[in-house]
Amino acid sequence: MKKVVIVGSGPSGVYCAINLEQAKNLQIDIFEKSMPLKTILPTGGTRCNITHWANDIKEFAKNYPRGEKFLYSIFHKHFVQESLDVFSKIGIKTYMQEDERYFPKSNSSKDVREKMLKALRRTRIIKRKINSIKELNDYDFIVLACGTKGVEELLLSTEHKIIPLKSALCGLKLDLNSPKYPQGVVLNAKEGEILFTKEGISGPLIYKISSINAYKSFPYDITVDLLDTKKLENELKNNPKKSFGNIVSLFIPKSLAQVILNQNFDKKCANVSKSEIENLKTITFRVISTDNKGEIVHAGGICLDEVTNFCQSKLNPKLFFCGEVLDIDGFCGGYNLQNCWSSAYCVALKIKEIAEN
Ligand SMILES: Cc1cc2nc3c(=O)[nH]c(=O)nc-3n(C[C@H](O)[C@H](O)[C@H](O)COP(=O)(O)OP(=O)(O)OC[C@H]3O[C@@H](n4cnc5c(N)ncnc54)[C@H](O)[C@@H]3O)c2cc1C
């Protein structure tokens, strides 16, 4: 019997154990400092957006601001359909939503958690916090599936290069001198929805921007299309006696138009200048920090240069990594969990291969 230890029973750790269990010559222990698979519960707004529809590996991998090229080889070994097959085998039936995101038919992350844990027949989950891989010397294989929260000491013990952790997929705080945008209002910009929050901006588009800009230094500006100025110009011409604000409110929420136009809101359309129209083509936000409220993942982690395409350490052949602990992060839509499934599968595949020989 060879002994495997997995640190962390998040999605990647449990998926790795599920795939290791087929090898009867392996004893599998998971050390977990908290509740097993707790981190899957809030996913997809508690519905668990398990993955995303895929046609082509390279296209799919474009959704990872960090890890894109590294994932080609990982996805070649285990991709979306293979993960869906694993879930189906353990009783998790899935369906694809109109926006191509996959969810369990139960629409319940609690159900996914229960079924994944039930699929572990031989794996022992032991409550224990691991601070250093030196504590795990008795094991033949060590898998770090510990995610990125509070793991600095443990990661340093691996002697691997660590890419600094940064918040990604989160809301952004705006400069204090910004106009007082109406809280709770949504702007449907051409590029996507922007939600105005107490301190700044949030919503799917902002999550994506926060992710792309994870390593950009603050402050920085974001400019998005506000409205179609040709259409606005026509409306203004057709309604010369109406107020500028009422016409702009046909395109964007009135409360937002009031903030943007300020004293010009009540101006007659006939008196609006060309430059006043052109000013509404785009809107620019000055971002001063992340708000860490909607934070979904961290960019950064174990540097990919020091791991093989089976997520095995190049410095210590006993050591493997999977999931978010790697310097891989994706956009919203199921991409982060797919990284967990695919990297965890590759780790399990390699360990089984070594253990057999
Ligand atoms: C609110 C929210 C919603 C999300 N929704 C989605 C979604 O719908 N789809 C999607 O693809 N992604 C989603 N994500 C991202 C996704 O949840 C993560 O990418 C995923 O959980 C990472 O899994 P992991 O197993 O690598 O790490 P984690 O989930 O972080 O799990 C790590 C585990 O290791 C344990 N651990 C850590 N350190 C130690 C230690 N020293 N000793 C012992 N145990 C330790 C932790 O307690 C934890 O249980 C969401 C994230 C959040 C926060």
Side-chain angles (χ1 to χ4, degrees), residues 84-97:
L84 294 175
D85 291 345
V86 169
F87 286 118
S88 173
K89 273 192 200 129
I90 63 170
I92 302 169
K93 305 286 176 221
T94 50
Y95 73 98
M96 192 181 76
Q97 223 174 238

Side-chain angles (χ1 to χ4, degrees), residues 18 45 47 59 66 68-69 117 145-146 180-181 210 253 267 272 278 297 303 325 337 348:
I18 290 171
R47 286 171 60 219
E59 277 304 311
R66 271 115 343 229
E68 179 181 347
K69 296 224 166 80
L117 290 176
C146 53
K180 288 265 160 284
Y181 293 114
S210 75
K267 195 173 194 172
V272 175
E278 278 312 299
V297 288
C303 176
V325 70
L337 285 176

Side-chain angles (χ1 to χ4, degrees), residues 66-83:
R66 271 115 343 229
E68 179 181 347
K69 296 224 166 80
F70 180 84
L71 283 167
Y72 293 168
S73 163
I74 303 296
F75 288 155
H76 268 291
K77 297 181 198 85
H78 189 87
F79 201 30
V80 172
Q81 190 54 51
E82 286 81 11
S83 304

Side-chain angles (χ1 to χ4, degrees), residues 7-13 31-34 39 42-44 49 128-130 145-147 151 154 295-297 322-324 334-337 340:
V7 182
S9 66
S12 63
F31 286 126
E32 170 57 59
K33 67 177 177 182
S34 173
T39 52
T43 60
N49 177 195
R128 180 173 154 191
K129 182 178 182 211
I130 302 299
C146 53
V151 293
L154 177 60
E295 177 189 284
I296 289 178
V297 288
C322 56
E324 202 180 316
Y335 298 104
N336 286 296
L337 285 176
C340 291

Side-chain angles (χ1 to χ4, degrees), residues 180-352:
K180 288 265 160 284
Y181 293 114
Q183 200 181 322
V185 164
V186 173
L187 166 67
N188 279 306
K190 203 163 97 190
E191 299 88 343
E193 279 181 6
I194 296 178
L195 167 72
F196 293 98
T197 60
K198 193 171 171 207
E199 292 175 300
I201 44 178
S202 187
L205 172 65
I206 298 306
Y207 284 172
K208 191 169 182 175
I209 292 175
S210 75
S211 181
I212 292 166
N213 291 343
Y215 288 92
K216 205 165 175 172
S217 42
F218 297 108
Y220 62 78
D221 289 342
I222 298 175
T223 300
V224 296
D225 284 341
L226 183 62
L227 46 79
D228 184 332
T229 45
K230 283 239 156 60
K231 281 189 184 159
L232 173 65
E233 206 172 346
N234 279 341
E235 289 291 337
L236 295 173
K237 259 188 209 149
N238 295 337
N239 299 282
K241 289 188 183 150
K242 283 199 176 162
S243 79
F244 187 23
N246 280 338
I247 296 302
V248 171
S249 302
L250 298 174
F251 298 88
I252 59 172
K254 187 171 183 178
S255 53
L256 180 60
Q258 279 163 337
V259 174
I260 294 172
L261 298 180
N262 209 348
Q263 291 108 319
N264 274 348
F265 191 91
D266 292 321
K267 195 173 194 172
K268 289 271 166 292
C269 290
N271 300 332
V272 175
S273 69
K274 258 243 174 300
S275 70
E276 281 166 339
I277 297 172
E278 278 312 299
N279 282 345
L280 298 177
K281 202 177 168 77
T282 58
I283 182 166
T284 298
F285 302 104
R286 171 137 289 211
V287 176
I288 53 165
S289 68
T290 59
D291 74 3
N292 293 335
K293 281 192 188 114
E295 177 189 284
I296 289 178
V297 288
H298 281 119
I302 296 291
C303 176
L304 301 177
D305 294 344
E306 295 180 344
V307 291
T308 69
N309 57 12
F310 281 89
C311 303
Q312 182 178 19
S313 163
K314 289 182 184 170
L315 315 181
N316 173 358
K318 272 175 72 165
L319 185 60
F320 295 79
F321 304 95
C322 56
E324 202 180 316
V325 70
L326 290 161
D327 179 26
I328 298 174
D329 61 284
F331 294 138
C332 288
Y335 298 104
N336 286 296
L337 285 176
Q338 188 58 52
N339 167 43
C340 291
W341 316 140
S342 295
S343 58
Y345 178 88
C346 289
V347 167
L349 190 66
K350 193 63 178 179
I351 291 177
K352 286 188 283 187

